[in-house]
Amino acid sequence: MYLDPFSKIGGEMQGLIGESDKSTILCTTRKSKHPMKFPPALSFIFILLCSTSCLFDIEPSYDYPPNDRSVLQGPRLGTLPEQLFTLQQTATLPFQGGLTQFGNRYLLEGYQTTPGIPFRQAVIGRGQATELPSRRFTSTFLDPQGNVWGLSIRENAMDTLYQFRNGSWERYSLLTLERYYAYLRDIRNEQFAFDTNEGVVLWNVPQKARKAVLSKQKARFFTNTYQIGYEDRTVLIQNRTTQQVLHRLPTGYDMWEVFEDTQQRLWFVVRDKNWDGLLYQYDGKSSRLLTTLPVGSFDSGRNIWHSSVDKNGNFWISVDDYYSVYMASGKWVKPIFSTPYDKVRLTRVFIDDQQKLVATDSKSLFTITP
């Protein structure tokens, strides 16, 4: 998936997006040929008596995350076997910040939040870094052609789309999203998708008009080939062009992460009732459960995001703020690096247009090789 916004799920995700568990009770009684009738005064007493004899189907409610961490079944990050990878620095970032990948380019957004110091953004690609004029947008992004866009919501009570041209931000169009919020969800050459309170709005860029509105439950994630939804505890995989339903998988309580590899296999993580992450793979015909994600240290919620699959079929994912790798051999490992990079903590791992692993620690760019 070439677009991976910073969304906190569990995450930016991704977020980027969850449904809370709710306790539900199904109370059933056997039907009688001679139903009993009660005076109104006795109705409440009957309800209380029924509560001791009815058949209950209780869906447990859990904290976010559960206070009792022992219910989590995933292997602990600290116990994973170590796997040595080669880390090679290829560039130093012009300033410290977070990277988002857009095709073969990256958007660098500075961490600097000191009052009086301008917010910094730069586009990095092809060995060059182009710093953008300082301006905070709801979303800044690049389309597949390399054009840079900025989305500003509630600007003078309107949503406005800007384009970076000739060294400055130019207003491109007003948006009629009819929302209380709007976040970028997907990018195509001539179409952007915005997540709003009314649904996922598809915006036709050349026509400067909305094209359609999709159900948020049926358009949770987009990849090159697929549109992935999650509704009624069922994963829904559709062809993103034709909207044809390709696969349904009843499982889990929420969906956390999705990645499509070069073989059009879909790797996706579903949360179970205990807040474990279950990794599945869809091969275009059927899906299978591969493994349970590791468990790290976390406070307010679990971060499961920023996944990639390298050319050897190894699945990289940030779990509770540390990267783990599910090897093609079927085991989880903790990636480590030789000196002088043995202390580097990776914040993002990407797959570039040559199917090579690219990584950052928010200060430098690296390549990773087995």
Side-chain angles (χ1 to χ4, degrees), residues 239-250:
N239 180 296
R240 67 165 295 158
T241 302
T242 66
Q243 300 292 302
Q244 176 188 1
V245 176
L246 304 174
H247 186 64
R248 296 179 187 270
L249 177 66

Side-chain angles (χ1 to χ4, degrees), residues 62-228:
Y62 291 89
D63 292 338
Y64 172 70
N67 288 326
D68 182 8
R69 307 295 172 90
S70 66
V71 301
L72 298 172
Q73 301 299 309
R76 270 40 183 180
L77 284 176
T79 66
L80 296 181
E82 296 179 341
Q83 178 74 32
L84 183 64
F85 292 86
T86 300
L87 198 66
Q88 182 65 45
Q89 183 175 347
T90 58
T92 299
L93 299 179
F95 50 87
Q96 187 172 350
L99 281 180
T100 307
Q101 184 184 30
F102 297 92
N104 60 0
R105 295 177 175 84
Y106 302 90
L107 176 68
L108 174 64
E109 298 187 272
Y111 290 154
Q112 179 59 263
T113 58
T114 303
I117 297 180
F119 176 65
R120 302 182 71 181
Q121 291 181 313
V123 175
I124 299 174
R126 299 176 180 175
Q128 299 183 21
T130 303
E131 189 156 356
L132 305 175
S134 179
R135 181 160 187 171
R136 287 188 179 272
F137 291 107
T138 304
S139 298
T140 306
F141 56 96
L142 283 71
D143 64 24
Q145 300 300 319
N147 300 309
V148 186
W149 302 85
L151 170 66
S152 178
I153 67 171
R154 297 185 180 180
E155 179 181 299
N156 298 323
M158 297 292 293
D159 302 324
T160 308
L161 189 63
Y162 289 85
Q163 186 177 18
F164 178 66
R165 299 182 61 185
N166 303 318
S168 63
W169 291 107
E170 298 181 6
R171 178 180 290 183
Y172 180 81
S173 174
L174 295 177
L175 305 180
T176 54
L177 297 180
E178 299 178 6
R179 53 61 211 125
Y180 297 110
Y181 63 89
Y183 300 102
L184 182 70
R185 180 65 69 85
D186 182 57
I187 302 169
R188 286 284 170 119
N189 277 332
E190 296 186 349
Q191 177 179 286
F192 302 153
F194 299 105
D195 183 8
T196 76
N197 61 291
E198 65 171 327
V200 178
V201 176
L202 303 183
W203 183 265
N204 186 297
V205 179
Q207 295 180 9
K208 302 182 179 181
R210 62 168 56 199
K211 178 181 178 181
V213 180
L214 305 179
S215 162
K216 295 177 67 172
Q217 288 74 28
K218 294 181 180 179
R220 295 279 292 273
F221 297 90
F222 295 89
T223 67
N224 290 331
T225 307
Y226 305 107
Q227 175 182 310
I228 303 94

Side-chain angles (χ1 to χ4, degrees), residues 30-84:
R30 293 185 178 91
K31 291 184 179 181
S32 171
K33 294 181 180 179
H34 304 285
M36 294 180 290
K37 297 182 179 180
F38 292 89
L42 296 180
S43 297
F44 179 68
I45 297 176
F46 173 75
I47 293 173
L48 291 178
L49 292 174
C50 178
S51 67
T52 64
S53 59
C54 289
L55 176 64
F56 291 95
D57 178 14
I58 301 178
E59 172 192 311
S61 179
Y62 291 89
D63 292 338
Y64 172 70
N67 288 326
D68 182 8
R69 307 295 172 90
S70 66
V71 301
L72 298 172
Q73 301 299 309
R76 270 40 183 180
L77 284 176
T79 66
L80 296 181
E82 296 179 341
Q83 178 74 32
L84 183 64

